[in-house]
Amino acid sequence: MADKRDYYQVLGVEKSASESDIKGAFRRQAKTCHPDMHPGDKAKEEQFKELNEAYEVLSDADKRAKYDQFGHAAFDPASGGGNPFTGGGFGDISDLFSSFFGGGFGGGGQTTRNAAVAGEDLRYNLAITFEEAAFGATREVTVAREEQCATCGGSGAKAGTAPVRCTTCNGTGQVQRQQEGFFGLFTSTRPCPVCGGVGKIIKEPCTDCRGAGRVRRNTKISVKIPAGIDHGQTLIMRGEGAAGYKGGPRGNLHITVSVRPHKLFTRRGFDLHLDMPISFVTAALGDEVTVPTLRDPLRYTIPAGTQNGTTFRLKEQGIQRLNTSGKGDLFINVTIEVPKKLTDEQKDLLQRFAQAEPGAKAKNGDKKGFFKK
């Protein structure tokens, strides 16, 4: 493995490159060394193999993470690693080239183009209450998605008819064109312009889907919201996306939740925080108070001499931990309310209290010294 070049260097990208950056770099370089563009050129073939090997690893999140941690040793059998590559040679990478080489390696695009294709993934933003996020809920959403046309069964052809083979490409979905280049005769493969690369032509389209094989419908879907989900998190409902093509599976539905704020509680992870006002008397003498929670109110004893800003912790009174049995805690931050208006009697009592406080005279006499300092 010591003679292998760094995969990031091979692709010409930084280690912080995004998935799209890696794919774009691979596309650009592949055009310059693809074997179909340079038949018989062993150097270009080896260059492309190296490029393909780097892309196979860096385009896969799991393989990339292993490579970033262990380098080439992550896939060296002698070091306990495995082989990151599937198939012989170029594997499934030929699909990537169908967009600019017209079918990948050796005209193999026909199988890919006519094979079943999965439907598109859909996204939905769902607003839920604070309580629904804390305890879980079941909500029904309406999603506009592509469904297989029931009239034609997805074929796109009118009932009683069927698509026919394209005579231009003889059903392959591709046409070849030869032209004289600088290095001699050059053959290029492109999708058939008549059938669009499908290999078949619908002479009598279905009246409902107009030949598309799919129709757009509003569908109601039941969504189970797990207890403990947080704002911005996404649920993936597999098989609830758009219908596939040519019998392919459905895509997935990605539901991102937006949690409305609570009027009393603030959430931090699975813990709840509550700012709770108490009276001066309660803070000084202590008392039992009623504390609101997401469930039932609780009685809690505030100890005498509690200072402003003191925080108390109530265990297991927070948010349900996602997919587990435990709960977070509730933190009560007390704020002492000072009355703005006092009766003469209240003022008199507070003045008498101040005079009776230990060291009152010494404290009063020390004010000038404090400001002088």
Side-chain angles (χ1 to χ4, degrees), residues 27-41:
R27 283 176 174 267
R28 288 192 297 272
Q29 293 201 46
K31 290 182 180 180
T32 66
C33 60
H34 191 279
D36 286 357
M37 302 290 288
H38 306 276
D41 190 330

Side-chain angles (χ1 to χ4, degrees), residues 112-130:
T112 302
R113 189 174 298 277
N114 292 323
V117 179
E120 300 89 350
D121 286 354
L122 303 179
R123 282 168 173 76
Y124 188 95
N125 293 323
L126 177 62
I128 62 176
T129 66
F130 199 89

Side-chain angles (χ1 to χ4, degrees), residues 69-105:
Q69 186 174 5
F70 302 107
H72 294 297
F75 312 111
D76 184 3
S79 303
N83 183 2
F85 315 112
T86 56
F90 307 121
D92 295 331
I93 208 71
S94 60
D95 293 346
L96 183 61
F97 290 96
S98 60
S99 60
F100 56 84
F101 284 119
F105 304 100

Side-chain angles (χ1 to χ4, degrees), residues 44 53 72 83 108 137 151 205 219 234 259-260 269 277 290 292 300 304 319:
K44 292 292 185 183
E53 181 178 310
H72 294 297
N83 183 2
T151 304
T219 305
T234 299
V259 182
R260 300 188 187 99
T290 300
Y300 186 80
I319 299 289

